[in-house]
């Protein structure tokens, strides 16, 4: 009988991918980002706004979740393993350019997509979402504390905040879709361990 996709890998075939710190940072960030996205939808989609009601409460949840968004990453910096992963995400090497060219050509052969612990797509996503979160935080603060900036700046901040929020929602949907299509990657974030064969296939340059 074939084991289910989410069945744990045999002990000898599993390698450690993430420690407790990385998994906690990811979960906490995912929860806070989820609150931001859901509350934003409730504020801007009329049908949801009518369904949920209590606009003041939704606004407060959105504001405080957005303000807390950087906290898991800042706390995670106390972990050596988390800092090591950040350094890997911040380095873009020649193999990453090969990976990107293959992705743009829609070349799905694993041999044409070399990757270390993180592939080029994951590195770009991490950099983009971190930058977007900082811009959202800055523009959100201008909208929240109206005395921080003149009216023309707040108007621009509202425009950037709203449209960037829509973009973040689309990118997050793509991120979640990719995760749903890879149960082994999800297992790595849930348990910290992945199958050795998966690691060799998806991240051949990674040496766990």
């Amino acid at each position: 009988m074939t084991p289910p996709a989410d069945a744990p890998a045999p002990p000898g075939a599993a390698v450690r991918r993430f420690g407790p710190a990385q998994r906690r940072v990811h979960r906490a960030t995912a929860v806070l980002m989820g609150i931001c996205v859901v509350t934003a939808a409730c504020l801007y989609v009329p049908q949801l706004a009518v369904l949920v009601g209590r606009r003041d409460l939704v606004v407060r949840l959105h504001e405080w979740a957005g303000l807390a968004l950087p906290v898991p990453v800042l706390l995670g910096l106390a972990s050596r393993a988390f800092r090591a992963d950040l350094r890997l995400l911040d380095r873009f090497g020649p193999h990453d350019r090969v990976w990107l060219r293959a992705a743009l050509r829609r070349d799905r052969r694993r041999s044409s997509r070399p990757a270390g612990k993180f592939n080029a797509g994951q590195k770009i996503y991490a950099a983009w979402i971190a930058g977007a979160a900082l811009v959202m935080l800055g523009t959100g603060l201008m909208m929240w504390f109206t005395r921080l900036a003149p009216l023309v700046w707040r108007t621009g901040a509202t425009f950037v905040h709203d449209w960037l929020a829509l973009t973040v929602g689309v990118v997050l949907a793509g991120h979640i879709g990719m995760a749903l299509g890879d149960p082994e990657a999800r297992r790595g974030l849930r348990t910290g361990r992945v199958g050795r064969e998966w690691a060799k296939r998806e991240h051949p340059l990674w040496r766990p």
Side-chain angles (χ1 to χ4, degrees):
M1 180 181 294
T2 303
D6 282 334
V15 294
R16 179 166 174 165
R17 183 162 174 81
F18 296 116
Q22 296 102 310
R23 303 202 306 274
R24 287 170 186 157
V25 169
H26 186 271
R27 290 169 187 168
T29 303
V31 168
L32 291 170
M33 185 67 78
I35 293 173
C36 287
V37 170
V38 171
T39 51
C42 292
L43 291 171
Y44 287 99
V45 179
Q47 293 83 353
L48 289 176
V50 171
L51 181 65
V52 174
R54 305 195 67 179
R55 182 178 177 86
D56 287 344
L57 176 61
V58 174
V59 169
R60 292 292 170 263
L61 283 173
H62 184 78
E63 290 171 342
W64 285 107
L67 196 61
L69 197 54
V71 172
V73 173
L74 294 176
L75 293 177
L77 293 175
S79 163
R80 181 181 300 175
F82 182 71
R83 294 197 305 272
D85 276 358
L86 286 183
R87 285 193 292 271
L88 291 175
L89 284 167
D90 194 43
R91 292 174 181 169
F92 207 85
H95 62 281
D96 293 311
R97 287 189 284 273
V98 174
W99 191 99
L100 276 178
R101 285 196 293 268
L104 291 172
R105 294 195 309 266
R106 298 185 180 276
D107 185 348
R108 299 184 180 277
R109 292 175 301 166
R110 298 302 175 189
S111 59
S112 66
R113 296 194 181 193
K117 185 174 184 180
F118 303 103
N119 63 43
Q122 291 167 331
K123 292 178 180 181
I124 290 174
Y125 169 79
W128 187 88
I129 202 69
L134 290 176
V135 173
M136 294 290 285
L137 178 61
T139 53
L141 287 172
M142 285 189 192
M143 296 161 62
W144 189 0
F145 299 102
T146 55
R147 294 184 181 179
L148 284 178
L151 178 60
V152 65
W153 287 21
R154 297 199 307 271
T155 302
T158 302
F159 178 84
V160 171
H161 194 89
D162 290 353
W163 282 101
L164 186 56
L166 179 61
T167 309
V168 167
V170 172
V171 172
L172 281 177
H175 178 67
I176 293 170
M178 295 288 289
L180 291 176
D182 194 341
E184 193 70 24
R186 296 200 311 273
R187 185 183 296 123
L189 282 169
R190 189 176 68 252
T191 68
R193 302 183 73 81
V194 295
R196 189 177 297 277
E197 288 304 315
W198 177 89
K200 289 180 179 179
R201 184 179 70 251
E202 300 290 337
H203 301 271
L205 303 181
W206 176 39
R207 300 292 180 264

